[in-house]
Amino acid sequence: MNAAGMSSLSTNTAIGLVLRSSAEWMNRGASLEDEVLGLFDLMQTRLLRYAVSFGVTMQDGEDIVQETFLALFHHLQRGRHGDNLHGWLFRVTHNLALKRRMKILNDPAGRDTAQVEILDPNPNPEECMLFGERHARLASVLQALSIEDRSCLRLRAEGLRYREIARILGISLGSVSASLSRSLARLEQVDKR
Amino acid sequence: MPDRSQHPSDEEILQFIDDELPADCIEHLREHIAACPNCRNRQASIEGTLDALNELYTSEQFELGSTTARSRALLQKKLVKDRKSHSFWRDRVASFHLRLPIAAAIVLVFIGFAFYGGRKIWTDQPSLLNPQEEAIVPNHSLTPGAVRAVTLTDICSSTDDDLDPKVPSSTERAVFQEYGLPSNRHTRKYQIDYLVNPQLGGTNDIRNLWPEPYSNARWNAQAKDELERHLHQMVCDRTVDLAVAQREIATDWIAAYKKYVGRNS
């Protein structure tokens, strides 16, 4: 299993532990907030990274993550624990990020703040300093990919199975596999230069 | 199932790395890779790129880390507020036995909104298209164009000649919504068009999609398709540079039509 898969396994196990222990706490009358905050500690950074990958600002990304966990709170309040909260959280973040992006683009004042990158995928000098030349090269390829291809790569790196990615993005299993393979070929091509 | 006598594709190797291959294929592929130096190299190369990508993603974490504590405190406040509000209304509703009338009122309001409010919103919402030109050209704030990294070889060796591959219906709806067009009314009048077509490296990103009318007498979807085929041919004949073709079709496709096709038509 790859590193991402290992990471996913450990995260899923951790989520399971949080849920199990929270269930015990709830039996003892402890609050649901602890359960949600426990998951927030585990998943916040990963969901924030995913949200900002849609080209929304960091502030918008933080709002999206907050909304996601409020939605989770309501989800759990209704007694719907579900088997796969990991995938559920990414799915809700994905939908909220798409909505937020559309809202920004529909708002003339907000368009300037949206990170709409186009036809010039070259990294800026600051990015080169931060990530090094190799990372900057890969980042430039990522920027030029479609949102769907980028989401596939990122969700895979977050340790989600192809089936979960397909469900989040609303595409077929074969499309996920083809998208990943296509994107990696492009990344590899640039990486070797 | 992969043929044991043939090398697996990169997609199959990736599925193997990700443990996503069907169970009955894994053993065949493992045996093949173990015996085939070329495929071992391919696997190592793909894994190398995946590692670099993971490093890139992980490096982003350092920039995001500072927001954690503040966001947690904010979420905690919201949860407490939400729970108190929830408890307050639940207690009121339970004590006054108002559940049924409230539910009925909500349903009535919802139905009223669906019949009148929803229609009004769509009617009042200004279209983002240029009314004079009826979306002959896209709104560049919404559709600046988006391309993937491709080489001339990729483009000219591809046999895919579908100029406007079908996009997921959710994306289609999003494009109509961005342009202020209710999708249920306009799907037959417009084609969701790729501003830069895939044969010139355009992607199916929403930033490369716009609703193009069929109705216009001259500057319609068919005319743009003609330009796209023509430009592709010119790029592959090396009479026009790929980047120039991408830029010109993204900037003003009608001007590009007049420049490249118009003089011939």
Side-chain angles (χ1 to χ4, degrees), chain B residues 141-178:
Chain B
S141 304
L142 303 174
T143 317
V147 294
R148 58 189 194 276
V150 284
T151 63
L152 212 54
T153 316
D154 294 336
I155 281 181
C156 299
S157 61
S158 171
T159 52
D160 181 10
D161 59 355
D162 187 354
L163 295 165
D164 303 294
K166 178 84 178 145
V167 296
S169 51
S170 57
T171 308
E172 197 170 283
R173 278 196 302 276
V175 174
F176 279 123
Q177 200 171 341
E178 266 195 337

mmCIF file of all heavy atoms in Angstrom, chain B residues 141-178:
data_model
loop_
_atom_site.group_PDB
_atom_site.id
_atom_site.type_symbol
_atom_site.label_atom_id
_atom_site.label_comp_id
_atom_site.label_asym_id
_atom_site.label_seq_id
_atom_site.Cartn_x
_atom_site.Cartn_y
_atom_site.Cartn_z
ATOM 1 N N SER B 141 -14.654 37.190 -17.977
ATOM 2 C CA SER B 141 -14.465 37.044 -16.523
ATOM 3 C C SER B 141 -14.859 35.641 -16.090
ATOM 4 O O SER B 141 -14.292 35.075 -15.161
ATOM 5 C CB SER B 141 -15.356 38.028 -15.772
ATOM 6 O OG SER B 141 -15.101 39.311 -16.201
ATOM 7 N N LEU B 142 -15.883 35.097 -16.765
ATOM 8 C CA LEU B 142 -16.351 33.762 -16.400
ATOM 9 C C LEU B 142 -15.627 32.689 -17.194
ATOM 10 O O LEU B 142 -15.379 31.591 -16.697
ATOM 11 C CB LEU B 142 -17.855 33.643 -16.675
ATOM 12 C CG LEU B 142 -18.760 34.653 -15.985
ATOM 13 C CD1 LEU B 142 -20.189 34.497 -16.466
ATOM 14 C CD2 LEU B 142 -18.692 34.471 -14.485
ATOM 15 N N THR B 143 -15.298 32.993 -18.430
ATOM 16 C CA THR B 143 -14.700 31.988 -19.304
ATOM 17 C C THR B 143 -13.438 32.546 -19.955
ATOM 18 O O THR B 143 -13.451 32.930 -21.128
ATOM 19 C CB THR B 143 -15.705 31.572 -20.404
ATOM 20 O OG1 THR B 143 -16.992 31.399 -19.830
ATOM 21 C CG2 THR B 143 -15.274 30.280 -21.085
ATOM 22 N N PRO B 144 -12.349 32.588 -19.183
ATOM 23 C CA PRO B 144 -11.107 33.094 -19.784
ATOM 24 C C PRO B 144 -10.430 32.055 -20.670
ATOM 25 O O PRO B 144 -9.542 32.381 -21.441
ATOM 26 C CB PRO B 144 -10.234 33.410 -18.568
ATOM 27 C CG PRO B 144 -10.761 32.548 -17.485
ATOM 28 C CD PRO B 144 -12.214 32.290 -17.754
ATOM 29 N N GLY B 145 -10.862 30.775 -20.566
ATOM 30 C CA GLY B 145 -10.195 29.695 -21.303
ATOM 31 C C GLY B 145 -9.241 28.975 -20.372
ATOM 32 O O GLY B 145 -8.682 29.583 -19.452
ATOM 33 N N ALA B 146 -9.095 27.676 -20.576
ATOM 34 C CA ALA B 146 -8.160 26.893 -19.754
ATOM 35 C C ALA B 146 -7.565 25.796 -20.621
ATOM 36 O O ALA B 146 -8.294 25.129 -21.347
ATOM 37 C CB ALA B 146 -8.874 26.287 -18.547
ATOM 38 N N VAL B 147 -6.265 25.645 -20.542
ATOM 39 C CA VAL B 147 -5.595 24.628 -21.359
ATOM 40 C C VAL B 147 -4.748 23.727 -20.487
ATOM 41 O O VAL B 147 -4.354 24.099 -19.385
ATOM 42 C CB VAL B 147 -4.693 25.274 -22.438
ATOM 43 C CG1 VAL B 147 -5.514 26.029 -23.464
ATOM 44 C CG2 VAL B 147 -3.643 26.171 -21.817
ATOM 45 N N ARG B 148 -4.489 22.535 -20.997
ATOM 46 C CA ARG B 148 -3.607 21.608 -20.302
ATOM 47 C C ARG B 148 -2.237 21.651 -20.986
ATOM 48 O O ARG B 148 -2.113 22.212 -22.082
ATOM 49 C CB ARG B 148 -4.193 20.193 -20.340
ATOM 50 C CG ARG B 148 -4.433 19.667 -21.729
ATOM 51 C CD ARG B 148 -5.219 18.350 -21.685
ATOM 52 N NE ARG B 148 -5.181 17.678 -22.963
ATOM 53 C CZ ARG B 148 -5.979 17.928 -23.981
ATOM 54 N NH1 ARG B 148 -6.906 18.854 -23.866
ATOM 55 N NH2 ARG B 148 -5.867 17.260 -25.117
ATOM 56 N N ALA B 149 -1.247 21.045 -20.299
ATOM 57 C CA ALA B 149 0.094 21.016 -20.892
ATOM 58 C C ALA B 149 0.120 19.941 -21.978
ATOM 59 O O ALA B 149 -0.020 18.755 -21.670
ATOM 60 C CB ALA B 149 1.117 20.712 -19.803
ATOM 61 N N VAL B 150 0.239 20.341 -23.217
ATOM 62 C CA VAL B 150 0.273 19.372 -24.322
ATOM 63 C C VAL B 150 1.391 19.735 -25.287
ATOM 64 O O VAL B 150 1.811 20.883 -25.360
ATOM 65 C CB VAL B 150 -1.051 19.355 -25.121
ATOM 66 C CG1 VAL B 150 -2.138 18.632 -24.409
ATOM 67 C CG2 VAL B 150 -1.483 20.746 -25.510
ATOM 68 N N THR B 151 1.840 18.739 -26.017
ATOM 69 C CA THR B 151 2.836 18.983 -27.050
ATOM 70 C C THR B 151 2.136 18.899 -28.398
ATOM 71 O O THR B 151 1.008 18.404 -28.500
ATOM 72 C CB THR B 151 3.947 17.922 -26.996
ATOM 73 O OG1 THR B 151 3.346 16.655 -27.282
ATOM 74 C CG2 THR B 151 4.608 17.886 -25.631
ATOM 75 N N LEU B 152 2.834 19.339 -29.414
ATOM 76 C CA LEU B 152 2.298 19.272 -30.773
ATOM 77 C C LEU B 152 2.026 17.820 -31.155
ATOM 78 O O LEU B 152 1.030 17.499 -31.807
ATOM 79 C CB LEU B 152 3.326 19.902 -31.730
ATOM 80 C CG LEU B 152 2.776 20.614 -32.942
ATOM 81 C CD1 LEU B 152 1.753 21.663 -32.548
ATOM 82 C CD2 LEU B 152 3.905 21.256 -33.732
ATOM 83 N N THR B 153 2.912 16.924 -30.693
ATOM 84 C CA THR B 153 2.740 15.502 -31.005
ATOM 85 C C THR B 153 1.447 14.980 -30.389
ATOM 86 O O THR B 153 0.690 14.258 -31.044
ATOM 87 C CB THR B 153 3.934 14.693 -30.442
ATOM 88 O OG1 THR B 153 5.116 15.407 -30.736
ATOM 89 C CG2 THR B 153 3.977 13.301 -31.038
ATOM 90 N N ASP B 154 1.204 15.358 -29.125
ATOM 91 C CA ASP B 154 -0.039 14.915 -28.461
ATOM 92 C C ASP B 154 -1.238 15.329 -29.300
ATOM 93 O O ASP B 154 -2.162 14.550 -29.538
ATOM 94 C CB ASP B 154 -0.203 15.588 -27.081
ATOM 95 C CG ASP B 154 0.857 15.165 -26.102
ATOM 96 O OD1 ASP B 154 1.408 14.068 -26.295
ATOM 97 O OD2 ASP B 154 1.147 15.930 -25.156
ATOM 98 N N ILE B 155 -1.214 16.571 -29.715
ATOM 99 C CA ILE B 155 -2.376 17.147 -30.392
ATOM 100 C C ILE B 155 -2.568 16.554 -31.786
ATOM 101 O O ILE B 155 -3.674 16.195 -32.176
ATOM 102 C CB ILE B 155 -2.203 18.686 -30.457
ATOM 103 C CG1 ILE B 155 -2.568 19.257 -29.096
ATOM 104 C CG2 ILE B 155 -3.045 19.301 -31.542
ATOM 105 C CD1 ILE B 155 -2.463 20.727 -29.010
ATOM 106 N N CYS B 156 -1.482 16.419 -32.491
ATOM 107 C CA CYS B 156 -1.617 16.012 -33.900
ATOM 108 C C CYS B 156 -1.728 14.502 -34.060
ATOM 109 O O CYS B 156 -2.169 14.023 -35.104
ATOM 110 C CB CYS B 156 -0.453 16.563 -34.712
ATOM 111 S SG CYS B 156 -0.435 18.369 -34.665
ATOM 112 N N SER B 157 -1.323 13.746 -33.041
ATOM 113 C CA SER B 157 -1.446 12.286 -33.164
ATOM 114 C C SER B 157 -2.785 11.798 -32.612
ATOM 115 O O SER B 157 -3.148 10.647 -32.801
ATOM 116 C CB SER B 157 -0.296 11.597 -32.424
ATOM 117 O OG SER B 157 -0.372 11.948 -31.064
ATOM 118 N N SER B 158 -3.517 12.687 -31.931
ATOM 119 C CA SER B 158 -4.790 12.256 -31.344
ATOM 120 C C SER B 158 -5.830 12.001 -32.434
ATOM 121 O O SER B 158 -5.941 12.749 -33.399
ATOM 122 C CB SER B 158 -5.304 13.338 -30.390
ATOM 123 O OG SER B 158 -6.606 13.022 -29.998
ATOM 124 N N THR B 159 -6.577 10.910 -32.239
ATOM 125 C CA THR B 159 -7.615 10.569 -33.226
ATOM 126 C C THR B 159 -8.992 11.047 -32.761
ATOM 127 O O THR B 159 -9.975 10.872 -33.461
ATOM 128 C CB THR B 159 -7.678 9.042 -33.437
ATOM 129 O OG1 THR B 159 -7.808 8.436 -32.155
ATOM 130 C CG2 THR B 159 -6.440 8.535 -34.148
ATOM 131 N N ASP B 160 -9.027 11.657 -31.582
ATOM 132 C CA ASP B 160 -10.313 12.113 -31.054
ATOM 133 C C ASP B 160 -10.724 13.414 -31.754
ATOM 134 O O ASP B 160 -10.078 14.444 -31.600
ATOM 135 C CB ASP B 160 -10.161 12.353 -29.541
ATOM 136 C CG ASP B 160 -11.470 12.797 -28.919
ATOM 137 O OD1 ASP B 160 -12.507 12.730 -29.622
ATOM 138 O OD2 ASP B 160 -11.466 13.211 -27.749
ATOM 139 N N ASP B 161 -11.796 13.343 -32.547
ATOM 140 C CA ASP B 161 -12.190 14.542 -33.280
ATOM 141 C C ASP B 161 -13.485 15.148 -32.738
ATOM 142 O O ASP B 161 -14.119 15.961 -33.401
ATOM 143 C CB ASP B 161 -12.339 14.230 -34.783
ATOM 144 C CG ASP B 161 -13.381 13.158 -35.024
ATOM 145 O OD1 ASP B 161 -13.893 12.604 -34.030
ATOM 146 O OD2 ASP B 161 -13.679 12.871 -36.191
ATOM 147 N N ASP B 162 -13.873 14.762 -31.513
ATOM 148 C CA ASP B 162 -15.064 15.340 -30.907
ATOM 149 C C ASP B 162 -14.703 16.745 -30.391
ATOM 150 O O ASP B 162 -13.960 16.887 -29.418
ATOM 151 C CB ASP B 162 -15.547 14.449 -29.752
ATOM 152 C CG ASP B 162 -16.875 14.930 -29.200
ATOM 153 O OD1 ASP B 162 -17.346 15.999 -29.643
ATOM 154 O OD2 ASP B 162 -17.434 14.235 -28.331
ATOM 155 N N LEU B 163 -15.212 17.774 -31.060
ATOM 156 C CA LEU B 163 -14.835 19.146 -30.717
ATOM 157 C C LEU B 163 -15.434 19.595 -29.392
ATOM 158 O O LEU B 163 -14.883 20.449 -28.708
ATOM 159 C CB LEU B 163 -15.285 20.101 -31.828
ATOM 160 C CG LEU B 163 -14.584 19.899 -33.185
ATOM 161 C CD1 LEU B 163 -15.340 20.629 -34.284
ATOM 162 C CD2 LEU B 163 -13.140 20.363 -33.137
ATOM 163 N N ASP B 164 -16.573 19.032 -29.056
ATOM 164 C CA ASP B 164 -17.255 19.442 -27.821
ATOM 165 C C ASP B 164 -17.710 18.217 -27.040
ATOM 166 O O ASP B 164 -18.899 17.905 -27.003
ATOM 167 C CB ASP B 164 -18.468 20.322 -28.161
ATOM 168 C CG ASP B 164 -18.054 21.523 -28.976
ATOM 169 O OD1 ASP B 164 -17.336 22.367 -28.441
ATOM 170 O OD2 ASP B 164 -18.436 21.593 -30.157
ATOM 171 N N PRO B 165 -16.767 17.493 -26.435
ATOM 172 C CA PRO B 165 -17.167 16.304 -25.680
ATOM 173 C C PRO B 165 -18.180 16.674 -24.597
ATOM 174 O O PRO B 165 -18.109 17.774 -24.035
ATOM 175 C CB PRO B 165 -15.863 15.817 -25.049
ATOM 176 C CG PRO B 165 -14.772 16.537 -25.748
ATOM 177 C CD PRO B 165 -15.351 17.780 -26.334
ATOM 178 N N LYS B 166 -19.091 15.759 -24.354
ATOM 179 C CA LYS B 166 -20.144 15.985 -23.358
ATOM 180 C C LYS B 166 -19.510 16.247 -21.992
ATOM 181 O O LYS B 166 -18.593 15.540 -21.587
ATOM 182 C CB LYS B 166 -21.025 14.736 -23.311
ATOM 183 C CG LYS B 166 -22.136 14.775 -22.302
ATOM 184 C CD LYS B 166 -23.343 15.481 -22.844
ATOM 185 C CE LYS B 166 -24.475 15.459 -21.815
ATOM 186 N NZ LYS B 166 -25.265 16.669 -21.842
ATOM 187 N N VAL B 167 -19.998 17.281 -21.306
ATOM 188 C CA VAL B 167 -19.510 17.531 -19.945
ATOM 189 C C VAL B 167 -20.557 17.006 -18.961
ATOM 190 O O VAL B 167 -21.727 16.868 -19.335
ATOM 191 C CB VAL B 167 -19.254 19.044 -19.706
ATOM 192 C CG1 VAL B 167 -18.148 19.554 -20.596
ATOM 193 C CG2 VAL B 167 -20.518 19.855 -19.904
ATOM 194 N N PRO B 168 -20.155 16.711 -17.733
ATOM 195 C CA PRO B 168 -21.138 16.218 -16.762
ATOM 196 C C PRO B 168 -22.298 17.212 -16.624
ATOM 197 O O PRO B 168 -22.087 18.433 -16.736
ATOM 198 C CB PRO B 168 -20.347 16.139 -15.456
ATOM 199 C CG PRO B 168 -18.923 16.067 -15.866
ATOM 200 C CD PRO B 168 -18.815 16.808 -17.167
ATOM 201 N N SER B 169 -23.511 16.674 -16.397
ATOM 202 C CA SER B 169 -24.670 17.565 -16.350
ATOM 203 C C SER B 169 -24.561 18.579 -15.211
ATOM 204 O O SER B 169 -25.073 19.696 -15.316
ATOM 205 C CB SER B 169 -25.963 16.765 -16.245
ATOM 206 O OG SER B 169 -25.853 15.856 -15.212
ATOM 207 N N SER B 170 -23.852 18.214 -14.131
ATOM 208 C CA SER B 170 -23.687 19.180 -13.028
ATOM 209 C C SER B 170 -22.863 20.383 -13.517
ATOM 210 O O SER B 170 -23.156 21.528 -13.181
ATOM 211 C CB SER B 170 -23.008 18.515 -11.836
ATOM 212 O OG SER B 170 -21.766 17.983 -12.222
ATOM 213 N N THR B 171 -21.843 20.106 -14.318
ATOM 214 C CA THR B 171 -21.016 21.197 -14.854
ATOM 215 C C THR B 171 -21.838 22.036 -15.824
ATOM 216 O O THR B 171 -21.766 23.268 -15.823
ATOM 217 C CB THR B 171 -19.787 20.614 -15.582
ATOM 218 O OG1 THR B 171 -19.136 19.706 -14.724
ATOM 219 C CG2 THR B 171 -18.818 21.709 -15.998
ATOM 220 N N GLU B 172 -22.647 21.338 -16.644
ATOM 221 C CA GLU B 172 -23.493 22.042 -17.611
ATOM 222 C C GLU B 172 -24.419 23.027 -16.877
ATOM 223 O O GLU B 172 -24.528 24.193 -17.254
ATOM 224 C CB GLU B 172 -24.315 21.006 -18.372
ATOM 225 C CG GLU B 172 -24.918 21.508 -19.658
ATOM 226 C CD GLU B 172 -25.500 20.364 -20.467
ATOM 227 O OE1 GLU B 172 -24.738 19.617 -21.109
ATOM 228 O OE2 GLU B 172 -26.724 20.214 -20.437
ATOM 229 N N ARG B 173 -25.028 22.521 -15.813
ATOM 230 C CA ARG B 173 -25.933 23.384 -15.032
ATOM 231 C C ARG B 173 -25.173 24.573 -14.453
ATOM 232 O O ARG B 173 -25.648 25.700 -14.437
ATOM 233 C CB ARG B 173 -26.576 22.580 -13.894
ATOM 234 C CG ARG B 173 -27.776 21.759 -14.332
ATOM 235 C CD ARG B 173 -28.598 21.317 -13.127
ATOM 236 N NE ARG B 173 -27.839 20.544 -12.163
ATOM 237 C CZ ARG B 173 -27.624 19.236 -12.265
ATOM 238 N NH1 ARG B 173 -28.113 18.559 -13.286
ATOM 239 N NH2 ARG B 173 -26.914 18.598 -11.356
ATOM 240 N N ALA B 174 -23.946 24.288 -13.981
ATOM 241 C CA ALA B 174 -23.138 25.347 -13.369
ATOM 242 C C ALA B 174 -22.811 26.430 -14.398
ATOM 243 O O ALA B 174 -22.828 27.618 -14.078
ATOM 244 C CB ALA B 174 -21.852 24.746 -12.795
ATOM 245 N N VAL B 175 -22.537 26.013 -15.643
ATOM 246 C CA VAL B 175 -22.216 26.994 -16.689
ATOM 247 C C VAL B 175 -23.436 27.874 -16.966
ATOM 248 O O VAL B 175 -23.343 29.105 -16.993
ATOM 249 C CB VAL B 175 -21.766 26.286 -17.990
ATOM 250 C CG1 VAL B 175 -21.577 27.309 -19.116
ATOM 251 C CG2 VAL B 175 -20.466 25.531 -17.774
ATOM 252 N N PHE B 176 -24.610 27.234 -17.124
ATOM 253 C CA PHE B 176 -25.824 28.016 -17.377
ATOM 254 C C PHE B 176 -26.078 28.978 -16.218
ATOM 255 O O PHE B 176 -26.441 30.133 -16.421
ATOM 256 C CB PHE B 176 -27.025 27.088 -17.563
ATOM 257 C CG PHE B 176 -27.117 26.515 -18.960
ATOM 258 C CD1 PHE B 176 -27.130 25.153 -19.168
ATOM 259 C CD2 PHE B 176 -27.198 27.346 -20.068
ATOM 260 C CE1 PHE B 176 -27.210 24.627 -20.456
ATOM 261 C CE2 PHE B 176 -27.279 26.829 -21.355
ATOM 262 C CZ PHE B 176 -27.287 25.469 -21.553
ATOM 263 N N GLN B 177 -25.861 28.480 -15.017
ATOM 264 C CA GLN B 177 -26.131 29.309 -13.837
ATOM 265 C C GLN B 177 -25.170 30.495 -13.785
ATOM 266 O O GLN B 177 -25.564 31.619 -13.491
ATOM 267 C CB GLN B 177 -26.001 28.461 -12.572
ATOM 268 C CG GLN B 177 -26.718 29.082 -11.392
ATOM 269 C CD GLN B 177 -26.758 28.127 -10.215
ATOM 270 O OE1 GLN B 177 -26.578 26.933 -10.374
ATOM 271 N NE2 GLN B 177 -26.975 28.664 -9.031
ATOM 272 N N GLU B 178 -23.895 30.230 -14.088
ATOM 273 C CA GLU B 178 -22.902 31.309 -14.103
ATOM 274 C C GLU B 178 -23.321 32.418 -15.051
ATOM 275 O O GLU B 178 -23.116 33.595 -14.778
ATOM 276 C CB GLU B 178 -21.557 30.766 -14.589
ATOM 277 C CG GLU B 178 -20.618 30.335 -13.517
ATOM 278 C CD GLU B 178 -19.207 30.161 -14.045
ATOM 279 O OE1 GLU B 178 -19.007 29.943 -15.251
ATOM 280 O OE2 GLU B 178 -18.295 30.235 -13.228
#
